[in-house]
Amino acid sequence: MAFPGELSVGRIPVVGVSPALEEGRWPAKAVVGEAVPITATIFREGHDAEGATIVVTRPDGKRDVRPMPLKDFGNSLYEGIYIPYLEGMHTFRVEAWSDPYSTWAHAAEVKVAAGVDVQLMLDEGVVVLTRALSEVRRKAARKELLSAAVDALQDHSLAPDKRLAPALADAVRDELTERPLRDWVSPSREYPLMVQREKALVSAWYEIFPRSEGARYNARSGQWKSGTFTTAAKRLPAIAEMGFDVVYLTPIHPIGLTHRKGRNNSLTAEPTDPGSPYAIGAAEGGHDAIHPELGTMRQFKNFVKAAADNGLEVALDLALQCSPDHPWVTEHPEWFTQRLDGTIAYAENPPKKYQDIYPLNFDNDPEGIYHAIRDVLQVWIDAGVTLFRVDNPHTKPLTFWERLLADVARTHPEVIFLSEAFTRPAMMHTLAKIGFHQSYTYFTWRPTAEEMGEYLEELSGEGSFYMRPNFWPTTHDILTPDMQAGGAPLYQARAVLAGTGSPSYGIYTGYELVENVPRPGVEEQIDNEKYEFKHREWAEADALGVRDVITRVNAARGRRVSLRRLRGLTVHESSNPFILCYSCHVPADQSPTGKADTVIVAVSFEPHVAHDAIIRLDMEAIGLDEDARIVVDDALTDETFTWGREFYVRLDPAVTMAHVAEVRTP
Amino acid sequence: MAFPGELSVGRIPVVGVSPALEEGRWPAKAVVGEAVPITATIFREGHDAEGATIVVTRPDGKRDVRPMPLKDFGNSLYEGIYIPYLEGMHTFRVEAWSDPYSTWAHAAEVKVAAGVDVQLMLDEGVVVLTRALSEVRRKAARKELLSAAVDALQDHSLAPDKRLAPALADAVRDELTERPLRDWVSPSREYPLMVQREKALVSAWYEIFPRSEGARYNARSGQWKSGTFTTAAKRLPAIAEMGFDVVYLTPIHPIGLTHRKGRNNSLTAEPTDPGSPYAIGAAEGGHDAIHPELGTMRQFKNFVKAAADNGLEVALDLALQCSPDHPWVTEHPEWFTQRLDGTIAYAENPPKKYQDIYPLNFDNDPEGIYHAIRDVLQVWIDAGVTLFRVDNPHTKPLTFWERLLADVARTHPEVIFLSEAFTRPAMMHTLAKIGFHQSYTYFTWRPTAEEMGEYLEELSGEGSFYMRPNFWPTTHDILTPDMQAGGAPLYQARAVLAGTGSPSYGIYTGYELVENVPRPGVEEQIDNEKYEFKHREWAEADALGVRDVITRVNAARGRRVSLRRLRGLTVHESSNPFILCYSCHVPADQSPTGKADTVIVAVSFEPHVAHDAIIRLDMEAIGLDEDARIVVDDALTDETFTWGREFYVRLDPAVTMAHVAEVRTP
């Protein structure tokens, strides 16, 4: 920390560097191939020219240097782009410097034209270009270019403007922009940038309760036979066919019997009720064990392999709570909250108690609990699990997560953690900062076009450097009032919003069947799969069109890099408050293909009536001239449109609730 | 810097601490007696209660501890107030902690009422209050209070609610808020806070050219006789009578002859032209010398003493540039930019040259230049100068200022520097961050009520922790088009805005006479005092009313602490775009008197026509109930009004352009 008395400002000041989370308290995040715009406020005294450079130190210790041009003069803002190509911890700094060539070039251009100090200007040019030749390494051809300019400056046979011209030619300026002569190089501090694999940003999740997949009801006995990893694996091709790349399993561990919940969250279970998989732990084992009805570890590994064969990674639920029957309760009673009366504290929200759950008390023996959970993770990582959906991380100490995630990041950097914290923003943002790769969001609770537009812009703004949203239109816990009422059209629309509004999104199984009946008084499904087996007739999905929309959205995500990036989203003006229009855009200099990529999405928020709108595009935001015409291919309807700055859309629930308009590159 | 792998988040996380300039790269600023709101985002896992404390380490090494209550639940924002009472470098940290008493109190209140876990709750209360007694030092009376509560919890003769009641009583809660039982105390990092004397924030400047004060024109010879420090001192009582506390002198040093500027900035001076005092340095000396026509060092010190006798401190101009005749040009030619042709570079804005000025080149012999200028400052500090108005600091390296200001702050902490940098925001803000106490602003270029209102709110916002504005309606360099056209009423209005919109403001002499005629084509006065002597007939000021307004504004500033603070300004809704209404407010807990202080200012921006408006006060912003009635005394008209949430004002240029309504404390 710099206190007055030490010099902190630098000869050419660099302030307000971004991305910086509390000046480096936490690293900003990126994935391989994702453009990171690095900005800083840079200025200097007087009128001489300054310049800026980004210097990135990669995990292999080598340095990448990138130009950092002026972006906004009034705000003294410089911006450069760094596209990381290695995973691991990078650091970057911004170097500001005095630019003697540009200073001279400006003065020389003006003064020679005005006939002021002509010989002096030419002489100074010789000095500055000679320095540029001797002090900076250049390719031979570029050296010749500069040498020729020096010769011209000294060629008294020419008129002054001719002597000057080569030194101010574009080729010379370009060379001195790329490889500048730099005086008074003034570095910022070093800022950390954590680079992860692309799936940390880009993923399409499909959630299942494995016991339901292949479960069979015996009408005679009135009993269910649980699905297994083996029967669940049969579902994988269908999931893959829709275009998902992650299959997420709710907890697969033994389920407690004590105070087991019955159907529809009733306090008493029938003997045939399978119980909530979130009441983890029974005689058969705890978080490192598998529910016997699902299969064995070998069968689980076979499931992981089958998933991989279908292009799917497996995500497990990490729900750090115990049923009263969990082995830890007897082996480590000190890991729970012991009441003064000798009992173990249930989960509660006073005066309510949840008697099927004992929360861990992380402040009792934090070392012991930490290592036990770290060991649990290792069991599943060793079995091939590469993602964890963490249940309610905001009810555990953040120090625990920070330590755990840092450890896994070091030893298994491929493993991705999704935070399921629906709570106040400070907690959600800080969980992201301390290491969660992805976060559930309030997507589900943004029912109007206006609210959704604002939320999309918020999430793709400053927070995009650390919090990566994962959008879920429904989950096994969430069925919002609008989803209960909107039918198949709204399910279609919300799948489009989720899949194009965020690089990561997820679908809870049965979504294709528009399962939208709530348990009365509660915003979740009736006959919730948490408490019972569920059989689904997939053939019924065909008529509803939801599966088709999902499949088309996933295909577009695969084709279009702009749908796989968080930054670059712009909401456009719509004349109809029921229609939201936004674009996802990656400029050419930030694109892996070197070509700009743009998708324009228009979605209706009204599933019962056709709506139309005039859309007015912010052309600058998608890198187009005001009068440009674009040809777009709609990924949903296979139609092709030609649009300009203003265009008309009509979204009829009977036809389509949305356009996912892929802009053709000219 | 914390990298993943180290724990950075803390058991009870503290993030986003304010005021913090780049996490402590520079100190926030305050003056003695000025309330500093310290905020942080604090939250924790689960449902247990957390609390927060501010710990300030003073320059004497001792600690002050202040409570930091929750301010905004949704944003997890805590805020505490620290009012420093010592000058010098402080540091502060925020401590977040687990609050076992509040956690228990909430559960006990709910559960005992519901008849759940009653005995357990009472038993837990005994444990937590016994800890509160043994672990935290308390006054005897408070100990008894807690002991009695413990006894009641254990008194089986009482009903459960009676056993519980004393432990939840307000007196016990208050004691445990003031002296809490704290678990898992989690400190933020330490942040610097520089505390200066009050004048660094609060000052009323009056600018004079000392040579004009008492200058006499000899009609026969056509020559002027310069004013002197002795004649200028005669003006001091009049300046003091208006209520100013700083008299600022434009440069008092010998003036160069080479390329001296004539009247109205003409390139050739007549032999009788005195030259611009900003062309510093002649045979008689440089920045440490006094122009012989003004007097001697002894006479200057007498002037300083006379000023002090009138309650005025003396500010000098620090204009770090040299005329070609400055002694440094021959003694230290290496301190200037030497051209290739052997000449010294003039100041220029290519292709224009300013041949009367050589800028210093701070990169040539920075040590030599630094010490020379530091010596110059010491000469004037030793002579009693306590403020410097720094001319164009943004044309010198910021490293120079940072070093100079830090050195003077260490050795002469009473000395105040005012930055005259009219340039892009990044430079202005950074000059403030690296040590300038006050800054000129764009006040002068905010001609409309709307623009002014936005600017006042901007300056009193986040930037108030480092940049203290000093508002000048005109200067010897600045006469904006509106000021040229608005006559005495606008001069009155702008004086009110300057004197009440910012704790520091300044008036350039002659303002009382509404000197508003520009040199054609330039936004400065004709016959600019920079280039000639100026005689003023002060008796003519009486009829214009400007002096009276200034005097009344300064008197109100003396009476009202809210006019001496930067934070606490709120712009209120006005039905008329020509009338701006804002309030200055210091809440009781931030006031040195312990009583809230409020002044409501309404100003017309239209000097030619009467305007009226309905004002709608933001009552919460001034600490009032929605239906409160207030009695206000107008410092300008001596009228008294009774106002409510909505009130009517009529501002007639023939009567008054403004109200400065001092709210009576009930």
Side-chain angles (χ1 to χ4, degrees):
Chain A
M1 201 179 296
F3 283 83
E6 304 167 27
L7 285 189
S8 68
V9 74
R11 179 62 187 82
I12 313 292
V14 181
V15 305
V17 176
S18 169
L21 280 56
E22 298 204 359
E23 290 296 306
R25 182 173 176 184
W26 296 296
K29 290 193 196 116
V31 296
V32 169
E34 178 190 15
V36 181
I38 295 175
T39 58
T41 301
I42 295 170
F43 55 94
R44 68 173 299 180
E45 85 292 351
H47 297 292
D48 285 0
E50 79 271 350
T53 309
I54 294 166
V55 181
V56 178
T57 304
R58 304 184 324 221
D60 61 8
K62 301 216 174 106
R63 291 217 171 113
D64 288 328
V65 172
R66 297 288 181 271
M68 192 182 194
L70 180 65
K71 185 181 183 179
D72 173 353
F73 175 78
N75 289 310
S76 314
L77 192 73
Y78 283 71
E79 180 183 83
I81 303 292
Y82 182 69
I83 305 181
Y85 46 95
L86 292 180
E87 288 177 32
M89 184 61 79
H90 297 58
T91 66
F92 70 87
R93 67 172 180 270
V94 171
E95 294 180 346
W97 32 272
S98 181
D99 181 346
Y101 169 75
S102 293
T103 301
W104 168 79
H106 173 70
E109 188 165 21
V110 173
K111 290 169 84 170
V112 170
V116 175
D117 291 341
V118 172
Q119 185 58 44
L120 188 60
M121 285 296 107
L122 300 173
D123 290 346
E124 285 183 5
V126 171
V127 171
V128 77
L129 286 178
T130 303
R131 283 191 60 204
L133 272 162
S134 67
E135 296 180 23
V136 182
R137 206 184 291 180
R138 301 176 194 284
K139 293 179 188 156
R142 306 302 179 92
K143 276 190 191 175
E144 279 169 37
L145 191 73
L146 268 56
S147 293
V150 171
D151 292 344
L153 284 165
Q154 294 172 309
D155 184 349
H156 291 262
S157 74
L158 299 173
D161 58 328
K162 303 285 185 227
R163 290 170 66 184
L164 180 61
L168 301 183
D170 285 349
V172 170
R173 288 186 194 266
D174 290 349
E175 170 65 9
L176 281 153
T177 299
E178 271 181 71
R179 274 164 291 275
L181 177 62
R182 312 191 308 164
D183 283 337
W184 308 111
V185 175
S186 307
S188 73
R189 59 169 87 174
E190 294 277 339
Y191 295 88
L193 174 71
M194 174 58 99
V195 180
Q196 298 160 335
R197 65 184 181 120
E198 197 189 21
K199 202 165 240 94
L201 172 68
V202 186
S203 55
W205 296 48
Y206 191 85
E207 171 185 358
I208 60 171
F209 283 67
R211 69 183 179 196
S212 286
E213 301 298 334
R216 286 208 317 253
Y217 183 66
N218 185 327
R220 223 161 344 150
S221 67
Q223 299 214 355
W224 283 85
K225 183 169 161 46
S226 174
T228 65
F229 293 131
T230 309
T231 59
K234 295 185 180 149
R235 185 86 209 291
L236 293 170
I239 297 169
E241 206 172 305
M242 284 185 276
F244 292 99
D245 51 27
V246 174
V247 57
Y248 146 49
L249 312 183
T250 54
I252 59 173
H253 317 299
I255 295 171
L257 279 167
T258 305
H259 297 295
R260 174 178 282 192
K261 293 280 181 69
R263 294 178 164 226
N264 285 309
N265 200 27
S266 65
L267 287 179
T268 50
E270 300 299 315
T272 54
D273 285 344
S276 165
Y278 290 90
I280 294 172
E284 298 87 354
H287 286 77
D288 51 1
I290 289 173
H291 196 298
E293 292 187 358
L294 290 174
T296 63
M297 182 56 88
R298 193 166 57 83
Q299 287 162 337
F300 177 71
K301 288 181 181 172
N302 285 341
F303 178 87
V304 173
K305 191 181 170 310
D309 291 344
N310 281 282
L312 291 157
E313 297 187 34
V314 174
L316 275 200
D317 220 308
L318 185 64
L320 293 177
Q321 57 207 11
C322 297
S323 98
D325 309 321
H326 196 289
W328 287 347
V329 176
T330 43
E331 291 165 15
H332 293 285
E334 75 278 12
W335 291 357
F336 301 88
T337 299
Q338 313 260 3
R339 315 299 298 258
L340 286 177
D341 60 6
T343 61
I344 291 179
Y346 297 115
E348 54 183 322
N349 185 9
K352 274 203 280 185
K353 294 188 185 191
Y354 306 103
Q355 294 186 306
D356 58 333
I357 296 293
Y358 286 158
L360 289 161
N361 185 329
F362 286 77
D363 293 325
N364 300 350
D365 188 17
E367 280 297 309
I369 294 182
Y370 175 78
H371 287 291
I373 294 171
R374 182 66 188 81
D375 289 348
V376 164
L377 280 183
Q378 197 59 47
V379 166
W380 302 114
I381 293 170
D382 289 345
V385 171
T386 48
L387 306 96
F388 292 92
R389 177 265 193 194
V390 178
D391 191 72
N392 286 330
H394 58 296
T395 59
K396 289 91 190 168
L398 280 81
T399 40
F400 167 77
W401 293 121
E402 185 175 19
R403 180 178 179 187
L404 185 72
L405 270 56
D407 183 9
V408 175
R410 263 193 303 272
T411 50
H412 298 279
E414 74 283 4
V415 174
I416 289 163
F417 290 86
L418 164 62
S419 159
E420 188 239 11
F422 295 112
T423 180
R424 290 179 287 165
M427 173 63 88
M428 293 174 67
H429 285 255
T430 306
L431 285 167
K433 288 174 181 171
I434 64 170
F436 278 92
H437 300 70
Q438 300 183 357
S439 176
Y440 281 75
T441 69
Y442 282 94
F443 169 80
T444 326
W445 293 280
R446 293 294 181 275
T448 68
E450 186 183 355
E451 289 167 287
M452 182 62 76
E454 280 172 15
Y455 196 55
L456 293 180
E457 289 196 321
E458 178 194 324
L459 291 174
S460 59
E462 276 306 293
S464 68
F465 290 105
Y466 55 89
M467 192 170 93
R468 303 186 187 113
N470 192 324
F471 283 172
W472 291 74
T474 67
T475 75
H476 62 263
D477 281 328
I478 302 169
L479 183 70
T480 52
D482 54 328
M483 296 302 282
Q484 299 167 19
L490 196 64
Y491 270 55
Q492 294 168 12
R494 286 265 151 177
V496 171
L497 286 168
T500 64
S502 165
S504 282
Y505 84 116
I507 292 291
Y508 165 47
T509 191
Y511 192 88
E512 308 92 308
L513 296 166
V514 193
E515 294 175 351
N516 64 355
V517 181
R519 189 162 90 236
V522 184
E523 291 188 14
E524 62 175 63
Q525 289 189 20
I526 199 163
D527 304 330
N528 193 316
E529 196 169 4
K530 270 205 290 190
Y531 311 108
E532 59 190 86
F533 295 99
K534 204 110 189 167
H535 173 77
R536 295 183 173 93
E537 285 294 341
W538 292 113
E540 292 171 10
D542 295 341
L544 295 165
V546 178
R547 186 164 53 195
D548 181 53
V549 164
I550 290 172
T551 307
R552 286 171 175 272
V553 165
N554 281 334
R557 289 163 51 90
R559 284 190 298 269
R560 291 301 185 150
V561 65
S562 58
L563 295 178
R564 301 196 301 270
R565 294 294 178 264
L566 182 51
R567 285 180 288 274
L569 186 144
T570 303
V571 173
H572 302 277
E573 209 180 304
S574 162
S575 64
N576 185 329
F578 291 100
I579 292 182
L580 174 66
C581 178
Y582 56 92
S583 59
C584 301
H585 174 68
V586 173
D589 65 343
Q590 303 185 21
S591 168
T593 63
K595 282 187 180 173
D597 188 69
T598 310
V599 175
I600 299 167
V601 181
V603 187
S604 172
F605 279 64
E606 171 43 277
H608 305 297
V609 188
H611 275 271
D612 56 9
I614 304 291
I615 304 297
R616 196 189 171 98
L617 291 177
D618 176 346
M619 298 294 268
E620 195 187 338
I622 52 177
L624 294 176
D625 294 334
E626 284 301 307
D627 56 355
R629 308 285 298 167
I630 47 175
V631 179
V632 304
D633 300 305
D634 182 7
L636 301 184
T637 63
D638 293 334
E639 289 172 295
T640 295
F641 307 108
T642 300
W643 288 343
R645 192 166 63 94
E646 286 194 354
F647 62 91
Y648 171 85
V649 288
R650 178 180 162 82
L651 297 171
D652 182 344
V655 182
T656 186
M657 284 290 285
H659 295 306
V660 175
E662 304 180 44
V663 179
R664 285 191 198 169
T665 39
Chain B
M1 201 181 295
F3 283 83
E6 305 167 27
L7 286 188
S8 67
V9 75
R11 178 63 188 82
I12 313 292
V14 181
V15 305
V17 176
S18 168
L21 281 57
E22 299 203 359
E23 289 297 307
R25 181 174 177 184
W26 297 295
K29 290 193 197 116
V31 296
V32 169
E34 177 190 16
V36 181
I38 295 175
T39 58
T41 300
I42 293 170
F43 55 95
R44 69 173 297 178
E45 85 292 351
H47 297 291
D48 286 0
E50 79 271 349
T53 310
I54 294 166
V55 180
V56 178
T57 304
R58 305 185 322 223
D60 61 9
K62 301 215 173 105
R63 291 217 170 115
D64 289 327
V65 172
R66 297 286 180 274
M68 193 182 190
L70 180 65
K71 186 181 182 179
D72 173 353
F73 175 78
N75 289 310
S76 314
L77 191 73
Y78 283 72
E79 180 182 83
I81 302 293
Y82 182 69
I83 305 182
Y85 45 94
L86 292 179
E87 289 177 32
M89 183 61 78
H90 296 56
T91 66
F92 70 88
R93 66 171 179 269
V94 171
E95 292 179 348
W97 31 272
S98 181
D99 181 347
Y101 169 77
S102 295
T103 301
W104 167 80
H106 172 70
E109 188 165 23
V110 172
K111 290 170 84 170
V112 171
V116 175
D117 292 340
V118 173
Q119 185 58 44
L120 189 60
M121 284 297 106
L122 300 173
D123 291 347
E124 285 184 5
V126 171
V127 171
V128 77
L129 285 178
T130 304
R131 283 191 61 204
L133 271 163
S134 67
E135 295 181 22
V136 182
R137 206 184 291 181
R138 300 176 194 285
K139 291 178 189 156
R142 307 301 180 90
K143 275 192 193 174
E144 280 169 35
L145 191 73
L146 267 57
S147 293
V150 170
D151 292 343
L153 285 165
Q154 293 171 310
D155 184 349
H156 291 262
S157 73
L158 299 174
D161 59 327
K162 302 284 185 227
R163 290 170 66 182
L164 180 62
L168 302 183
D170 284 349
V172 170
R173 289 186 194 266
D174 290 349
E175 171 64 9
L176 280 152
T177 300
E178 269 182 72
R179 274 165 292 274
L181 177 63
R182 312 190 308 163
D183 282 338
W184 309 113
V185 175
S186 307
S188 72
R189 60 169 88 174
E190 295 275 340
Y191 294 89
L193 174 70
M194 174 58 99
V195 180
Q196 298 160 334
R197 66 183 180 120
E198 196 188 22
K199 200 165 241 95
L201 173 66
V202 186
S203 55
W205 296 48
Y206 191 87
E207 172 186 358
I208 60 171
F209 282 68
R211 70 183 177 195
S212 285
E213 301 298 333
R216 285 208 319 251
Y217 182 66
N218 185 326
R220 225 167 338 157
S221 68
Q223 298 214 355
W224 284 84
K225 185 171 160 47
S226 175
T228 65
F229 292 131
T230 309
T231 59
K234 297 188 178 146
R235 187 83 208 294
L236 294 170
I239 297 170
E241 206 172 306
M242 284 185 276
F244 291 98
D245 52 26
V246 174
V247 57
Y248 147 49
L249 313 183
T250 53
I252 59 172
H253 317 298
I255 296 171
L257 278 168
T258 305
H259 297 297
R260 173 177 284 190
K261 293 279 182 71
R263 293 178 164 223
N264 284 309
N265 200 27
S266 64
L267 288 179
T268 48
E270 300 299 314
T272 54
D273 286 344
S276 165
Y278 291 89
I280 293 172
E284 298 86 354
H287 287 77
D288 52 0
I290 291 173
H291 195 298
E293 292 188 359
L294 290 174
T296 63
M297 180 58 86
R298 192 166 59 83
Q299 286 161 337
F300 177 71
K301 289 181 180 171
N302 285 341
F303 178 86
V304 173
K305 189 179 172 309
D309 291 344
N310 281 282
L312 290 157
E313 296 187 33
V314 174
L316 275 201
D317 219 310
L318 185 64
L320 293 177
Q321 58 205 11
C322 298
S323 97
D325 308 322
H326 196 290
W328 287 347
V329 175
T330 42
E331 291 165 16
H332 292 286
E334 74 278 13
W335 290 358
F336 302 88
T337 299
Q338 312 261 2
R339 315 299 299 260
L340 286 177
D341 60 5
T343 62
I344 291 180
Y346 297 115
E348 53 183 321
N349 185 9
K352 273 204 280 184
K353 294 189 186 191
Y354 306 103
Q355 293 187 306
D356 57 334
I357 296 292
Y358 286 157
L360 289 160
N361 185 328
F362 287 77
D363 294 325
N364 299 349
D365 188 17
E367 280 297 310
I369 293 181
Y370 175 78
H371 288 290
I373 294 170
R374 182 66 188 82
D375 289 347
V376 163
L377 280 183
Q378 197 60 46
V379 166
W380 302 114
I381 292 170
D382 290 345
V385 171
T386 48
L387 307 97
F388 292 91
R389 177 265 193 194
V390 178
D391 191 72
N392 286 329
H394 58 297
T395 59
K396 289 90 190 171
L398 280 81
T399 40
F400 167 77
W401 293 121
E402 185 174 21
R403 180 179 178 186
L404 186 72
L405 271 56
D407 183 10
V408 175
R410 264 192 303 270
T411 50
H412 298 279
E414 75 284 4
V415 174
I416 290 164
F417 290 86
L418 164 63
S419 158
E420 189 241 11
F422 296 112
T423 180
R424 290 179 288 166
M427 173 63 86
M428 293 173 68
H429 285 255
T430 306
L431 286 167
K433 288 174 181 171
I434 63 171
F436 277 92
H437 299 69
Q438 300 183 356
S439 176
Y440 281 75
T441 69
Y442 281 94
F443 169 80
T444 327
W445 292 281
R446 295 293 181 271
T448 69
E450 186 184 356
E451 290 166 287
M452 182 62 75
E454 281 172 14
Y455 197 56
L456 292 180
E457 289 197 321
E458 178 193 324
L459 292 174
S460 58
E462 277 307 293
S464 68
F465 290 106
Y466 55 89
M467 193 172 93
R468 304 186 186 112
N470 193 323
F471 282 172
W472 291 75
T474 67
T475 74
H476 62 262
D477 281 329
I478 303 169
L479 183 70
T480 54
D482 54 329
M483 295 301 282
Q484 299 166 19
L490 195 63
Y491 270 55
Q492 294 168 11
R494 286 263 149 178
V496 172
L497 286 168
T500 63
S502 165
S504 282
Y505 85 115
I507 293 291
Y508 164 47
T509 193
Y511 192 87
E512 308 93 308
L513 295 166
V514 193
E515 293 175 352
N516 65 354
V517 181
R519 190 163 87 234
V522 184
E523 291 188 15
E524 62 175 63
Q525 289 190 20
I526 198 164
D527 304 329
N528 193 314
E529 198 170 2
K530 270 204 289 190
Y531 311 108
E532 59 190 87
F533 295 100
K534 203 110 185 167
H535 173 78
R536 294 183 172 90
E537 284 295 339
W538 292 112
E540 290 171 10
D542 295 340
L544 296 165
V546 178
R547 185 165 54 197
D548 181 55
V549 164
I550 290 172
T551 306
R552 286 170 174 273
V553 165
N554 280 333
R557 290 164 50 93
R559 284 190 297 270
R560 292 299 186 150
V561 66
S562 58
L563 294 178
R564 302 195 300 273
R565 294 294 178 265
L566 183 51
R567 286 180 288 276
L569 186 144
T570 304
V571 173
H572 301 277
E573 210 181 302
S574 162
S575 64
N576 185 330
F578 290 100
I579 291 182
L580 174 67
C581 178
Y582 56 92
S583 60
C584 302
H585 174 68
V586 174
D589 66 343
Q590 303 186 22
S591 166
T593 63
K595 284 188 178 172
D597 188 69
T598 311
V599 175
I600 298 167
V601 181
V603 187
S604 171
F605 279 65
E606 170 43 278
H608 304 298
V609 187
H611 275 272
D612 55 11
I614 303 291
I615 304 298
R616 196 190 173 100
L617 292 176
D618 177 345
M619 298 294 269
E620 194 187 338
I622 53 177
L624 294 176
D625 294 334
E626 284 299 308
D627 56 355
R629 307 287 296 166
I630 48 175
V631 180
V632 304
D633 300 305
D634 182 6
L636 299 184
T637 63
D638 292 333
E639 290 172 295
T640 296
F641 307 107
T642 301
W643 287 343
R645 191 165 63 92
E646 285 194 355
F647 63 88
Y648 171 85
V649 289
R650 179 180 160 81
L651 297 171
D652 181 344
V655 181
T656 186
M657 284 291 284
H659 294 308
V660 175
E662 303 179 45
V663 179
R664 286 190 197 169
T665 39

